[in-house]
Amino acid sequence: MKEKVILAYSGGLDTTAIIPWLKENYDYDVVCCCIDVGQGNELEGLEERAKLSGATKLYIEHLTDEFVDEYVIPCVKANAVYENKYLLGTSMARPVIAKKLVEVARKEGAVAICHGATGKGNDQVRFELGIKALAPDLKIIAPWRCNDTWKMSSREEEIEYCKAHGIDLPFDASHSYSRDRNLWHISHEGLELEDPANAPDYDHLLVLGVTPEKAPEEGETISLSFEKGAPVALNGVKMKASEIITKLNELGGKHGIGIVDIVENRVVGMKSRGVYETPGGTILMEAHTQLEELILDRATLTCKKEIGNKFADVVYEGKWFTPLREALQAFVEVTQQYVTGEVKMKLYKGNIIKQGTTSPYSLYNESIASFTTGDLYDHHDAEGFINLFGLSLKVRAMKMAEVAKKENETK
């Protein structure tokens, strides 16, 4: 029997062309594994295509709920945003995919895992760090880095390669955006986006929604309920997190929310320009942030922002299966113990507008915060506080005045 390789299979032209390439260059039996993390109709016709291309078997693993509950929600709780804009849509999905690839490799007794990520991108790092952390004994094959055997550099060449191996596929050579989609988001790269001087062609580009200019003239008010930092209900209706995100994607897309045009710093050292659509995720992250404003004390909130930035870096760099991610997440979980309540927002032409936030654990005290403060706060106490709080400033100013005086006396 031949040795087996597990191919991370999307059904696109790249991973389809990899099947005969693996058989030709490694003489492996190719077992394809497609991971469903909410990419929708991209899964249609995969089994027939994989078998037609020479695969011996195809796994389609439906992991949308696992992706949301175990990877997305921890990032929401952490308020993890990379470089202030990117909500980690692709980054969060890679570890759950790597984990399942390893599980299938063990089940099939495979000796290697193959992925179709390029040698310039982040995904090669994320896939391979995940595989190394979970199965250090497995060989990893990355065709785009195999310059001696992978000779294809265009869609035209990939199509011709498939035809030469008796594979006639419903692909054409027309170039389009490079996209990655899951339940949380869709990313767009390529075409006019490769030049940061160009404006995105949103009419051609957008998939999940519309621009704010094309959004309805009437706003829409919604409410989100959280328990211990996790979303549990939309507009008062209890549902699982994946269902909430699905509904929020529809609402956010309708109102032009969550479109981000960013030039980001990739792990491999280059800058990359892309457009991300994250309508539901943008609403969810904003609601969670608003709720934390009420509940977390100043010191915890300040520290959590730093942890959130570090958490985003760790996820972006593919270091999910590390002690550092576990430690950061443990800190976040402690902060979420009382992040429970309801957030109301109006969605209007790309904006998310506060409509009121409530929580049984709110630290906002009206009798303290209002101008007519009650017994808990005496205005006169502020004088002593300011004297102590500003003592170091006053001492330094006195010292500098003393130094200046001596300098003037010696002149």
Side-chain angles (χ1 to χ4, degrees):
M1 293 179 62
K2 293 182 180 180
E3 292 182 322
K4 296 179 182 178
V5 59
I6 306 302
L7 171 63
Y9 186 64
S10 68
L13 180 56
D14 288 348
T15 54
T16 299
I18 286 174
I19 297 173
W21 178 85
L22 281 170
K23 297 178 69 176
E24 185 176 82
N25 289 279
Y26 291 87
D27 196 29
Y28 284 143
D29 277 339
V30 180
V31 177
C32 291
C33 184
C34 176
I35 313 299
D36 174 17
V37 284
Q39 55 265 49
N41 58 12
E42 293 181 10
L43 301 175
E44 294 176 4
L46 286 194
E47 185 164 4
E48 181 182 357
R49 190 176 306 161
K51 295 288 182 65
L52 178 65
S53 304
T56 58
K57 188 183 295 187
L58 170 67
Y59 286 83
I60 297 181
E61 302 289 334
H62 300 285
L63 301 181
T64 301
D65 284 330
E66 180 179 341
F67 166 54
V68 170
D69 295 339
E70 297 185 21
Y71 298 85
V72 172
I73 297 305
C75 290
V76 172
K77 290 179 177 181
N79 299 120
V81 181
Y82 182 69
E83 295 188 339
N84 299 314
K85 288 186 177 180
Y86 173 43
L87 301 187
L88 300 172
T90 300
S91 312
M92 295 186 296
R94 294 322 186 211
V96 70
I97 293 173
K99 180 182 175 185
K100 181 53 67 172
L101 290 173
V102 169
E103 290 177 5
V104 172
R106 296 305 192 205
K107 181 177 180 180
E108 288 288 332
V111 298
I113 291 176
C114 177
H115 65 78
T118 72
K120 286 185 176 182
N122 294 315
D123 282 342
Q124 58 178 340
V125 178
R126 296 165 183 155
F127 281 135
E128 294 186 32
L129 290 189
I131 294 167
K132 289 176 186 296
L134 300 173
D137 57 301
L138 291 179
K139 182 178 180 181
I140 299 173
I141 302 172
W144 283 95
R145 302 203 303 259
C146 298
N147 295 331
D148 53 337
T149 54
W150 181 266
K151 303 296 185 181
M152 295 165 278
S153 59
S154 68
R155 291 179 64 86
E156 291 87 350
E157 291 177 356
E158 288 178 321
I159 290 171
E160 287 304 314
Y161 180 81
C162 287
K163 285 182 178 179
H165 288 77
I167 306 167
D168 190 15
L169 297 169
F171 297 120
D172 60 52
S174 63
H175 188 57
S176 62
Y177 297 103
S178 173
R179 291 183 165 115
D180 176 76
R181 182 174 184 176
N182 56 50
L183 188 67
W184 185 249
H185 89 154
I186 184 168
S187 64
H188 313 266
E189 295 178 350
L191 298 186
E192 79 278 358
L193 300 180
E194 292 187 346
D195 185 350
N198 294 331
D201 181 5
Y202 285 123
D203 289 336
H204 182 218
L205 180 149
L206 295 179
V207 173
L208 300 180
V210 298
T211 59
E213 294 89 340
K214 295 185 177 181
E217 295 299 324
E218 195 77 25
E220 187 168 357
T221 300
I222 66 169
S223 70
L224 272 169
S225 299
F226 291 81
E227 291 181 5
K228 295 187 176 182
V232 294
L234 173 62
N235 293 331
V237 180
K238 290 265 189 179
M239 57 184 79
K240 59 186 180 179
S242 60
E243 293 171 334
I244 290 175
I245 293 171
T246 299
K247 298 285 187 182
L248 289 178
N249 277 337
E250 296 171 4
L251 292 167
K254 172 184 173 183
H255 291 282
I257 288 167
I259 302 167
V260 171
D261 181 353
I262 181 176
V263 175
E264 70 194 63
N265 291 291
R266 285 183 176 175
V267 177
V268 293
M270 69 180 71
K271 287 186 180 292
S272 171
R273 196 270 188 98
V275 170
Y276 297 100
E277 293 181 74
T278 321
T282 300
I283 298 169
L284 192 57
M285 292 285 266
E286 178 61 24
H288 181 263
T289 299
Q290 289 182 22
L291 189 57
E292 284 193 331
E293 288 178 0
L294 273 188
I295 295 163
L296 297 187
D297 63 272
R298 182 187 181 204
T300 301
L301 189 59
T302 299
C303 187
K304 186 174 180 293
K305 287 179 180 178
E306 297 175 4
I307 294 294
N309 288 334
K310 184 61 180 177
F311 198 97
D313 288 345
V314 167
V315 176
Y316 187 84
E317 294 169 1
K319 298 176 180 177
W320 186 274
F321 300 109
T322 61
L324 177 56
R325 192 274 306 167
E326 293 175 3
L328 293 171
Q329 189 169 336
F331 171 89
V332 170
E333 287 295 333
V334 171
T335 69
Q336 299 303 289
Q337 184 176 0
Y338 299 108
V339 181
T340 295
E342 183 183 44
V343 181
K344 294 180 180 178
M345 301 161 291
K346 178 182 283 188
L347 313 179
Y348 178 67
K349 289 191 173 293
N351 296 292
I352 303 171
I353 305 166
K354 279 187 179 183
Q355 298 294 295
T357 309
T358 57
S359 170
Y361 304 107
S362 172
L363 297 184
Y364 183 89
N365 188 306
E366 188 174 351
S367 69
I368 298 176
S370 68
F371 286 101
T372 56
T373 53
D375 295 336
L376 285 175
Y377 193 94
D378 187 333
H379 287 281
H380 296 93
D381 292 340
E383 182 176 355
F385 166 76
I386 294 170
N387 286 336
L388 295 177
F389 195 64
L391 183 60
S392 62
L393 297 175
K394 184 174 181 178
V395 169
R396 184 180 186 278
M398 292 169 63
K399 173 55 68 176
M400 296 308 295
E402 180 183 324
V403 170
K405 182 179 179 181
K406 289 181 179 179
E407 289 177 348
N408 289 332
E409 291 174 349
T410 59
K411 286 182 180 179

